[in-house]
């Protein structure tokens, strides 16, 4: 399509054409009405004047007969101006007046008539025209029959009326032409501006479609409808880019981090098949396979749960619940495990802590924090026996699980007194599959904190890791739900 063709097809240009047509029709109607009415008004004025003169002249005739009338008419006919007079005998012989060359038969029909004529004083210079006898002017005249067969004609030249009429018509034509030209030029100008912006947007969306998700639609900053559209589309692109990024990360992670355990599983099975001799050896290999598979399943579940939390899909299962209940439940669930490792697990959740959210996900997030605390804060000087070395009854390490309200937030805190996480690593460990070097010896896939963080974000809250001097303090902050309690 040519550039001009594109221009003519735009909505803006079509709207311009519609408005222009309506406006031009209106202007034509207005000017036509004005011209016709002016003409009618002038005609009315002429008839009034002529009527008045005829009344005056018949009065003269009544007073002084044809002699007096001829003198008066003769005097008036000599005055310059557009008034026309003629007095004739019954045979049509002119007695006085300033017109000649009337159309034939005019004098025989009394009343109003429009006729061609020549002024008497003009016929004196016939050499100026090619056809001296041809009547040149038009007049509106009234013929009056006087007693005795005399005819009286009084009229006015119509040239002035026609000139005015044509001036108005001419002005009308010009103004409509100017309206059309200016309107079209304005329409083209506006259309081209709009088209240029739409073209820029089209260009950008093409390069986005070609794979450059980082591109954004241009915003002119005028706050008009195109800007609003571009801004909204940009927000949408932002979201799409984040989702694509997440998707890519998940698939990369799966490719890298699940490949190792799967390869290990395969190699161990192959090894057992190749070297296994007794039933107990096969059994041991199968058992380790089951363990490895369980880990894989757990990793998959964690990944799916993170994806669910990050896509916002879990928003549909939001319910009101008390976070203090969750803290108590998790405490109960993990107490045996903690005890087994020689750790004291304390729960501080006396007050109600209302939250609106996905109960299952929040429980899982808190469980992940407690699991980490037990796993990484296990005292180093405890051996597998679970008894203190040197028989010392040193202070038992403690984990505190707390649910409390803090203004319009609910905080779920897990504090331990283990090695903690160095400041520099705190932002890194919440990423998927990130595990610190010193904890490689412990089982895990590095997804626990990612899930806790994704769950917090899903609820409009956040996960923060702080120093517990010594140890780690992990806090899930969630917006308070339910009836807001008065402060204090
Ligand atoms: N309480 C803690 N004390 C010290 N280090 C911690 C603690 N919690 C987490 N970490 C460190 O952060 C890393 C990431 O924790 P995360 O819970 O995400 O993964 P994981 O515990 O290794 O595996 P998973 O939770 O998936 O079984 C851990 O590997 C560990 O290095
Ligand atoms: Mg963990």
């Amino acid at each position: 399509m040519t550039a001009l063709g594109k221009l003519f097809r735009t909505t803006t240009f079509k709207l311009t054409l519609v408005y222009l047509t309506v406006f031009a029709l209106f202007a034509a109607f207005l000017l036509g009405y004005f011209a016709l009415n002016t003409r009618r008004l002038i005609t009315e004025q002429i008839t009034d004047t002529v009527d008045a003169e005829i009344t005056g002249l018949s009065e003269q005739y009544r007073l002084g007969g044809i002699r007096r009338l001829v003198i008066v008419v003769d005097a008036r006919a000599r005055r310059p101006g557009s008034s026309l007079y003629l007095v004739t005998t019954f045979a049509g012989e002119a007695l006085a007046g300033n017109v000649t060359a009337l159309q034939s038969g005019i004098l025989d029909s009394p009343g109003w008539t429009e006729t061609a004529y020549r002024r008497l004083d003009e016929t004196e210079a016939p050499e100026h025209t090619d056809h001296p006898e041809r009547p040149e002017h038009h007049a509106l005249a009234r013929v009056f029959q006087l007693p005795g067969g005399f005819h009286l004609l009084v009229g006015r030249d119509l040239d002035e009326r026609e000139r005015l009429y044509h001036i108005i018509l001419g002005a009308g034509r010009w103004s409509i032409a100017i309206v059309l030209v200016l309107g079209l030029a304005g329409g083209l100008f506006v259309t081209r501006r709009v088209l240029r912006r739409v073209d820029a947007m089209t260009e950008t969306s093409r390069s986005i479609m070609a794979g450059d998700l980082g591109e954004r639609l241009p915003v002119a900053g005028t706050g008009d409808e195109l800007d609003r559209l571009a801004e909204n589309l940009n927000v949408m692109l932002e979201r799409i880019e984040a989702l694509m990024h997440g998707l890519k990360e998940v698939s990369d992670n799966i490719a890298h981090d699940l490949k190792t355990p799967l390869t290990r599983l395969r190699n161990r099975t192959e090894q057992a098949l190749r070297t296994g001799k007794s039933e107990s050896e096969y059994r041991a290999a199968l058992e380790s396979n089951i363990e490895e598979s369980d880990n894989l399943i757990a990793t998959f579940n964690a990944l799916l749960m993170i994806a669910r939390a990050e896509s916002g899909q879990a928003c549909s299962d939001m319910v009101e619940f008390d976070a203090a209940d969750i803290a108590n439940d998790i405490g109960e669930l993990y107490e045996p495990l903690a005890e087994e490792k020689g750790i004291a697990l304390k729960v501080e959740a006396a007050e109600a802590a209302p939250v609106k959210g996905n109960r299952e996900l929040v429980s899982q997030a808190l469980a992940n924090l407690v699991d980490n605390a037990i796993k990484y804060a296990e005292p180093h000087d405890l051996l597998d026996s679970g008894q203190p070395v040197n028989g010392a009854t040193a202070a038992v390490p403690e984990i505190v699980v707390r649910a409390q309200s803090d203004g319009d937030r609910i905080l779920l805190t897990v504090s331990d007194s283990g090695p903690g996480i160095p400041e520099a690593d705190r932002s890194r460990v919440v990423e998927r599959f990130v595990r610190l070097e010193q904890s490689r010896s412990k089982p895990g896939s590095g997804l626990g904190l990612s899930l806790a963080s994704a769950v917090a974000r899903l609820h409009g809250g956040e996960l923060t890791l702080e120093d517990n001097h010594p140890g780690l303090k992990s806090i899930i902050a969630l917006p308070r739900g339910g009836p807001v309690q008065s402060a204090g």
Side-chain angles (χ1 to χ4, degrees):
M1 211 190 306
T2 61
L4 214 59
K6 222 160 93 182
L7 214 67
F8 290 154
R9 275 161 178 258
T10 55
T11 316
T12 325
F13 191 73
K14 284 177 194 158
L15 272 179
T16 309
L17 280 192
V18 171
Y19 274 116
L20 212 56
T21 314
V22 171
F23 194 71
L25 283 179
F26 178 68
F29 169 76
L30 204 69
L31 283 163
Y33 180 81
F34 185 58
L36 285 177
N37 266 299
T38 312
R39 201 175 179 202
R40 195 174 52 81
L41 213 73
I42 293 176
T43 310
E44 256 173 40
Q45 230 166 27
I46 292 177
T47 52
D48 283 354
T49 321
V50 169
D51 274 344
E53 278 203 80
I54 283 189
T55 317
L57 289 173
S58 4
E59 183 66 17
Q60 297 289 345
Y61 177 75
R62 205 174 52 77
L63 290 178
I66 190 69
R67 207 174 256 283
R68 184 158 175 170
L69 180 68
V70 165
I71 292 169
V72 174
V73 165
D74 196 48
R76 289 197 188 174
R78 280 174 206 284
R79 287 189 214 148
S82 55
S83 295
L84 307 170
Y85 305 94
L86 185 65
V87 181
T88 66
T89 61
F90 67 96
E93 205 179 313
L95 297 176
N98 55 6
V99 280
T100 177
L102 290 166
Q103 279 165 12
S104 59
I106 290 287
L107 289 173
D108 298 327
S109 47
W112 287 102
T113 166
E114 259 191 65
T115 172
Y117 77 96
R118 281 185 79 82
R119 271 186 87 103
L120 268 180
D121 36 15
E122 276 176 351
T123 51
E124 285 160 11
E127 65 272 16
H128 289 313
T129 44
D130 296 340
H131 308 283
E133 295 311 319
R134 190 202 285 170
E136 284 172 0
H137 305 294
H138 281 85
L140 182 63
R142 188 172 167 193
V143 177
F144 197 72
Q145 209 105 42
L146 296 172
F150 297 104
H151 295 290
L152 170 64
L153 176 141
V154 179
R156 278 275 169 143
D157 187 81
L158 282 180
D159 275 4
E160 217 168 304
R161 188 188 77 173
E162 294 310 306
R163 238 189 351 255
L164 197 65
Y165 182 64
H166 282 114
I167 286 174
I168 293 175
L169 276 190
R173 262 183 236 125
W174 271 108
S175 49
I176 287 176
I178 289 172
V179 161
L180 284 178
V181 168
L182 284 185
L184 270 180
L188 281 176
F189 175 72
V190 172
T191 309
R192 267 187 50 187
R193 271 181 56 124
V194 173
L195 204 62
R196 221 178 295 142
R197 289 178 60 193
V198 172
D199 278 349
M201 286 186 179
T202 315
E203 199 55 44
T204 316
S205 46
R206 280 221 185 93
S207 78
I208 292 171
M209 278 189 283
D212 186 358
L213 266 180
E215 280 262 12
R216 290 293 173 267
L217 296 178
V219 176
T222 52
D224 61 5
E225 67 279 18
L226 282 180
D227 263 11
R228 287 211 312 274
L229 182 69
E231 275 163 12
N232 276 328
L233 287 176
N234 282 345
V235 172
M236 190 176 87
L237 285 171
E238 205 90 39
R239 178 98 180 101
I240 290 177
E241 196 188 12
L243 286 176
M244 290 290 283
H245 185 75
L247 206 67
K248 188 172 170 302
E249 211 173 316
V250 171
S251 45
D252 284 359
N253 287 338
I254 289 176
H256 283 108
D257 294 71
L258 292 185
K259 223 171 108 185
T260 320
L262 275 173
T263 315
R264 207 158 48 215
L265 191 69
R266 190 197 164 280
N267 290 349
R268 264 195 221 150
T269 314
E270 194 188 25
Q271 172 106 13
L273 277 180
R274 208 154 7 101
T275 62
K277 291 186 182 72
S278 62
E279 193 196 317
S280 64
E281 273 178 25
Y282 283 124
R283 175 175 284 277
L286 281 177
E287 270 165 4
S288 92
N289 274 1
I290 287 177
E291 198 182 317
E292 192 80 61
S293 309
D294 280 346
N295 283 343
L296 273 172
I297 290 170
T299 305
F300 263 116
N301 282 340
L303 275 176
L304 286 178
M305 224 184 251
I306 294 173
R308 219 174 105 207
E310 282 189 341
S311 67
Q313 206 185 322
C315 283
S316 48
D317 318 324
M318 297 284 198
V319 291
E320 295 274 351
F321 62 86
D322 189 353
D325 286 349
I326 289 189
N328 284 316
D329 290 352
I330 297 290
E332 222 168 276
L333 189 69
Y334 278 89
E335 201 166 2
L337 183 66
E339 211 172 296
E340 194 181 300
K341 305 224 170 177
I343 301 171
L345 183 67
K346 256 174 66 185
V347 178
E348 292 176 7
E351 271 178 59
V355 168
K356 184 175 189 322
N358 188 308
R359 195 188 161 111
E360 181 206 346
L361 286 178
V362 174
S363 298
Q364 186 61 54
L366 187 63
N368 286 358
L369 300 186
V370 175
D371 179 67
N372 281 352
I374 294 175
K375 196 157 56 171
Y376 302 114
E378 200 178 340
H380 284 288
D381 46 358
L382 281 181
L383 294 178
D384 285 353
S385 66
Q387 293 302 315
V389 181
N390 309 332
T393 51
V396 180
E398 193 180 62
I399 293 173
V400 183
V401 180
R402 213 174 277 129
Q404 76 207 97
S405 29
D406 171 43
D408 54 359
R409 298 188 310 168
I410 297 295
L411 305 182
L412 283 167
T413 316
V414 178
S415 328
D416 64 53
S417 48
I421 299 177
E423 174 111 48
D425 290 324
R426 280 186 207 146
S427 62
R428 198 163 65 87
V429 286
V430 296
E431 285 168 26
R432 287 190 192 95
F433 296 111
V434 173
R435 309 197 68 208
L436 298 182
E437 209 48 61
Q438 74 256 23
S439 33
R440 293 273 170 200
S441 56
K442 305 272 168 52
S445 50
L447 290 173
L449 291 179
S450 304
L451 178 67
S453 160
V455 169
R457 266 184 284 128
L458 170 72
H459 290 81
E462 56 174 350
L463 168 75
T464 39
L465 302 175
E466 287 175 8
D467 204 334
N468 196 34
H469 307 287
L472 184 75
K473 190 173 182 182
S474 331
I475 307 161
I476 297 177
L478 301 174
R480 168 193 276 280
V484 180
Q485 286 159 13
S486 58

